[in-house]
Amino acid sequence: CDPAGRVLMGSTNGLLVARVPRADSASWSVQAVLGREDGLPSNVVTAIGVPFNDRVWVGTEYGVAIADLRRAKLPPVAPI
């Protein structure tokens, strides 16, 4: 989890961005999928860097790119 409560996962469909509630880590859900239409060279994500300032390096089958996590448009999470 990053400080914003997001979990990033690579898939053949793109970079999956999930939200994990701190109170119940078993009830996470995918909130967004970033892919070619968001600037990645491919939807096949093979590597993910550490998020910094809402940006993350993403390795794909056709090269690397910086994904802007602000495009994920995640709903706000209430503080605990």
Side-chain angles (χ1 to χ4, degrees):
C1 255
D2 71 359
R6 297 175 294 217
V7 173
L8 306 178
M9 297 169 277
S11 76
T12 56
N13 294 318
L15 178 67
L16 307 178
V17 183
R19 180 75 75 186
V20 180
R22 295 187 197 276
D24 182 11
S25 60
S27 67
W28 62 276
S29 64
V30 173
Q31 300 289 312
V33 179
L34 301 177
R36 290 187 63 202
E37 63 278 356
D38 301 297
L40 297 183
S42 166
N43 284 340
V44 179
V45 174
T46 58
I48 305 168
V50 177
F52 181 74
N53 286 341
D54 284 328
R55 290 182 172 82
V56 63
W57 282 98
V58 179
T60 74
E61 68 178 343
Y62 295 133
V64 297
I66 297 175
D68 186 347
L69 298 177
R70 292 173 293 188
R71 293 181 142 240
K73 299 185 177 97
L74 297 175
V77 172
I80 300 174

